[in-house]
Amino acid sequence: MDYFIKSIVSLLKEKTDLREDEIEKRIEIPPVLKMGDYAFPCYTLSKILKKPPNSIAEELTKILHPVSPITGIRAIGPYVNFFVDRSIFSERALKKIHEEKDSYGSDDTGSGKTIVIDYSSPNIAKHLAVHHLRSAVIGNAIYHIYKALGYSCVGINHLGDWGTQFGQLIVAYRRWGDESTRKTYTVTDLNSLYVKFHQEAEKNPALEDEAREWFKKLEAGDPEARTLWQHFKDISLKEFQKLYDMLEVHFDAYIGESFYNTMVEDTIRRIKEKGLAKISEEALIVDLEPYNMPPCLLRKKDDATLYATRDIAAAEYRMRTYNFDKMTYVVGSEQKLHFKQIFKVLELMGYDWASRCVHIDFGLMKFKDGKMSTRKGKVVLLEDLLIEAIERIRKIIEEKNPLLEDKDAVAKEVGIGAIIFADLSTKRNKDIVFDWDTVLNFEGETGPYVQYTHARLCSILRKYNQPVTGEVNYELLKEDETFRLIKNLWQFPSVIQRAAESYEPSLLCNYLIDVCGNLNRFYNTYRVLSDVEELTKARVFLVDATRQVIKNGLNIIGIHSPDRM
RNA sequence: GCGCCAGUAGCUCAGCUGGAUAGAGCAUCGGAUUUCUAAUCCGGCGGUCGAGGGUUCAAAUCCUUCCUGGCGCGCCA
């Protein structure tokens, strides 16, 4: 527990009948600094004691006596407000950050536990477009967040590398694939083959049967089908990898749907043994009527399995392999029902770990005038967006900081950071309307703003050019603008905690914006480097701590913190 | 038709599990730099928190009805 909250709780515990955790839960931070640093609302006590909260606050204030680090207690309306000793607070907070460095904000609550995170999971033979970005960056952030809490994390890219579309692709490739360029095929080529197939199939429906035949061959392990399928996969993965490298999104395993092909029969057998499966309209299903859900389809009437079947097999496999404490799927909210169904089936199969499976859903990305669609080619390619962002940043650098060294590297870090930050900063829940001008705006609450703030702090420290030490006079960090910032830095660990609990990386974005706002106000109000040595040392120490927190925060959401920009 | 999600300033969003005066950014208007990076900061403008009803000492937050938008609802993933 927070040292200062702890002090307040122990004061209150003596004078009320509430339990420690009840008190702690109620402690809040007043909306404005003048009111105090922490507050205890008296509404619950008011209910118990049957007295107005205001008079309880008054009475409590009279019988409570401030003990260090608490310096003042004041009743304001229904609240008992506590003031902390600013220099003790500052010393404690800043020294902690200074000592813990890159691990400030982390803890070990998850040590010994394993979390599996399924994210990105794109389909083979299709380009990654902007709407694929969310899963990747949210998943990556969740990965870092849980890592910071000591969890052992397993990032899985559950590739969409199975299904009838591969039969279609094989047919198209064999018929229209250009012999001379096959070696240099790209995802674009695969995509056009795919489109061509659908055009031709309209005129000649026999192609569909041919495609089904080829998919059957593939399932049966036919060497030619297998070789082509592997070829398509290689081409796609090569392109995906390029983007993952740009975004610095990491996976511990690339295990596609095809991998579970050999396991689904066992899975279906287990489901049958539990008496869960039945035939309906020629298909094999798990009836979920009693749970107010449509049935979960395991097998089509032509005997082929479906993705739900493979997902169930995958879940079993992951449990066997990783023995996870938590398994999460970072997948769009349009698949909510699907996950509800498979989690229910897992539960019905008797797996207690079904309750530890979580669908981390997120809103769709669409254009102002409608949805994105790979089929209609109405998408913005992820690579194009990243390149555009980098180029625009490059121009801004040229304009604002022409003497900067290594402009290309910085432009890349800032451009990509801007895209990641933009995608992460609204709550997962909400749909996002894609708009070039919004994504490529670099002022205000944006990634570049946070990075810029960081770079300015680095600049001060470079200019200072002396070892930073915590042996400073903390009495000099008492101004409101300064103290507000220090209090803000102290919140960082609890923000990570909340982000983890709610699987919500946007909390970290909001937090960073907040810290930067406080820092910039401080920066614009006071001069850090001056002739007054004592004051300089104290402020430099604060600057260094702020730099550290911004760096740690950006790092957790997968964004670089350049020293100059 | 049924289910899930959303509706807060002109636009994009915060508002921490019911609490103090609903906050930011963008846009717009006006200001701040002989000094640490102006990708910054300060101020003005801007709100019946979709609408009605209810619960409560207290509702943007909880319940309910309705409106609007998005998504989903057996052989795609």
Side-chain angles (χ1 to χ4, degrees):
Chain A
M1 196 195 310
D2 180 322
Y3 170 70
F4 298 94
I5 293 182
K6 206 170 186 168
S7 313
I8 292 164
V9 169
S10 67
L11 281 179
L12 283 166
K13 206 180 68 178
E14 285 175 36
K15 307 294 182 190
T16 66
D17 287 331
L18 297 173
R19 286 201 318 273
E20 245 178 68
D21 59 311
E22 285 174 322
I23 301 171
E24 189 202 346
K25 232 181 71 183
R26 312 227 171 265
I27 303 279
E28 35 186 284
I29 294 172
V32 281
L33 196 64
K34 287 188 293 268
M35 290 177 167
D37 299 306
Y38 294 96
F40 177 72
C42 298
Y43 304 106
T44 20
L45 281 177
S46 153
K47 254 193 186 129
I48 299 168
L49 303 174
K50 305 217 177 342
K51 274 193 268 184
N54 291 41
S55 50
I56 295 176
E58 290 281 343
E59 284 165 30
L60 269 178
T61 304
K62 271 178 208 147
I63 53 174
L64 289 169
H65 302 291
V67 180
S68 174
I70 307 301
T71 54
I73 301 172
R74 197 174 354 138
I76 304 178
Y79 290 88
V80 180
N81 290 22
F82 298 85
F83 294 79
V84 301
D85 182 311
R86 290 190 174 183
S87 58
I88 292 177
F89 190 103
S90 300
E91 177 165 4
R92 208 173 174 95
L94 300 184
K95 278 190 170 164
K96 184 174 163 74
I97 298 165
H98 186 70
E99 278 158 22
E100 297 184 5
K101 302 248 181 321
D102 286 353
S103 62
Y104 176 65
S106 305
D107 68 59
D108 56 359
T109 49
S111 78
K113 292 186 193 161
T114 298
I115 179 172
V116 172
I117 310 163
D118 176 328
Y119 52 105
S120 189
S121 309
N123 289 324
I124 298 297
K126 287 179 189 162
H127 284 292
L128 287 176
V130 277
H131 60 280
H132 292 116
L133 184 62
R134 300 207 81 188
S135 176
V137 296
I138 292 172
N140 198 235
I142 303 270
Y143 189 102
H144 288 304
I145 289 168
Y146 273 85
K147 198 100 200 155
L149 296 183
Y151 279 80
S152 140
C153 301
V154 183
I156 298 182
N157 197 343
H158 187 69
L159 298 164
D161 61 357
W162 209 244
T164 29
Q165 72 269 30
F166 288 96
Q168 300 169 346
L169 209 49
I170 291 171
V171 170
Y173 187 84
R174 293 179 85 247
R175 287 191 170 234
W176 309 298
D178 183 343
E179 200 62 50
S180 63
T181 53
R182 280 188 184 185
K183 292 250 181 313
T184 55
Y185 258 34
T186 62
V187 174
T188 306
D189 299 313
L190 295 180
N191 227 331
S192 3
L193 280 177
Y194 192 68
V195 170
K196 171 126 181 158
F197 177 88
H198 285 288
Q199 285 167 353
E200 297 292 325
E202 270 187 36
K203 290 178 254 168
N204 178 12
L207 285 174
E208 297 279 8
D209 296 329
E210 205 181 315
R212 265 190 287 274
E213 274 309 304
W214 274 103
F215 181 59
K216 274 206 172 136
K217 283 191 187 178
L218 179 60
E219 281 196 301
D222 174 89
E224 186 184 353
R226 201 79 196 173
T227 308
L228 288 177
W229 170 79
Q230 188 61 49
H231 183 43
F232 301 151
K233 240 181 115 161
D234 291 344
I235 291 167
S236 302
L237 278 173
K238 199 173 146 199
E239 183 181 301
F240 295 165
Q241 198 54 52
K242 190 169 124 202
L243 287 159
Y244 293 142
D245 287 346
M246 282 177 92
L247 292 165
E248 292 179 61
V249 166
H250 160 83
F251 299 95
D252 298 298
Y254 290 76
I255 307 178
E257 285 187 76
S258 60
F259 179 77
Y260 304 101
N261 201 34
T262 56
M263 301 174 200
V264 286
E265 290 311 319
D266 277 347
T267 297
I268 290 177
R269 188 175 44 72
R270 276 188 289 275
I271 295 174
K272 280 180 172 169
E273 278 167 7
K274 294 275 175 189
L276 299 169
K278 70 176 195 188
I279 303 286
S280 160
E281 296 171 32
E282 293 178 75
L284 187 68
I285 65 157
V286 177
D287 183 16
L288 297 174
E289 183 77 56
Y291 312 99
N292 286 319
M293 277 185 258
C296 177
L297 266 86
L298 299 175
R299 212 197 272 288
K300 304 195 276 184
K301 61 182 167 198
D302 69 356
D303 263 10
T305 58
L306 287 121
Y307 80 129
T309 331
R310 295 191 281 273
D311 268 358
I312 294 165
E316 289 184 302
Y317 169 81
R318 289 171 184 178
M319 187 61 203
R320 283 198 301 276
T321 310
Y322 304 111
N323 191 28
F324 57 76
D325 295 274
K326 235 183 238 281
M327 173 160 65
T328 61
Y329 298 84
V330 185
V331 178
S333 57
E334 72 275 16
Q335 295 201 36
K336 256 179 142 163
L337 178 59
H338 165 71
F339 284 107
K340 245 180 105 179
Q341 289 175 306
I342 67 164
F343 294 165
K344 180 52 85 179
V345 173
L346 290 168
E347 183 196 317
L348 294 173
M349 288 173 82
Y351 297 130
D352 60 331
W353 48 265
S355 62
R356 304 202 299 268
C357 295
V358 184
H359 176 206
I360 302 177
D361 63 318
F362 55 85
L364 284 324
M365 189 182 276
K366 45 187 184 164
F367 291 113
K368 261 176 284 192
D369 55 340
K371 41 241 124 220
M372 295 201 178
S373 156
T374 334
R375 237 190 266 153
K376 293 178 196 151
K378 208 184 153 198
V379 288
V380 174
L381 296 187
L382 183 50
E383 188 174 5
D384 293 344
L385 176 65
L386 295 181
I387 288 170
E388 178 70 20
I390 294 168
E391 275 172 8
R392 291 218 198 172
I393 293 290
R394 180 64 220 238
K395 278 192 196 117
I396 296 174
I397 291 174
E398 215 56 68
E399 188 184 300
K400 311 216 180 212
N401 197 357
L403 300 177
L404 182 68
E405 285 173 37
D406 217 354
K407 290 175 194 164
D408 288 330
V410 175
K412 192 178 163 197
E413 291 182 357
V414 176
I416 288 177
I419 299 298
I420 294 176
F421 196 93
D423 208 355
L424 242 30
S425 55
T426 52
K427 284 203 312 192
R428 275 172 23 228
N429 218 3
K430 298 219 176 195
D431 290 347
I432 290 186
V433 175
F434 180 82
D435 176 49
W436 284 98
D437 292 336
T438 311
V439 195
L440 297 175
N441 168 41
F442 305 128
E443 280 169 19
E445 299 173 332
T446 64
Y449 169 68
V450 178
Q451 289 172 315
Y452 174 69
T453 305
H454 176 268
R456 288 170 115 188
L457 297 180
C458 290
S459 176
I460 293 176
L461 295 167
R462 268 196 305 276
K463 193 164 176 190
Y464 180 64
N465 195 29
Q466 287 172 58
V468 174
T469 151
E471 299 319 306
V472 305
N473 182 356
Y474 291 92
E475 294 292 323
L476 300 174
L477 297 174
K478 282 185 160 174
E479 308 96 343
D480 285 355
E481 295 85 351
T482 311
F483 191 61
R484 221 191 303 268
L485 173 61
I486 296 168
K487 278 176 70 175
N488 203 189
L489 299 179
W490 182 250
Q491 298 302 319
F492 186 51
S494 74
V495 175
I496 296 180
Q497 200 78 39
R498 273 197 295 134
E501 280 162 16
S502 53
Y503 309 103
E504 194 61 86
S506 65
L507 292 177
L508 282 159
C509 294
N510 295 340
Y511 173 74
L512 285 171
I513 291 294
D514 226 36
V515 169
C516 291
N518 282 325
L519 181 279
N520 281 311
R521 269 182 287 278
F522 164 79
Y523 182 99
N524 276 284
T525 314
Y526 302 105
R527 226 194 125 63
V528 177
L529 305 177
S530 71
D531 298 337
V532 190
E533 197 190 339
E534 204 186 13
L535 187 59
T536 299
K537 279 177 91 172
R539 286 182 179 163
V540 161
F541 195 54
L542 171 59
V543 161
D544 189 53
T546 310
R547 177 200 57 78
Q548 184 75 60
V549 171
I550 295 175
K551 183 178 166 215
N552 294 2
L554 283 174
N555 186 43
I556 266 187
I557 53 177
I559 297 176
H560 281 275
S561 340
D563 292 351
R564 304 167 203 254
M565 65 184 267

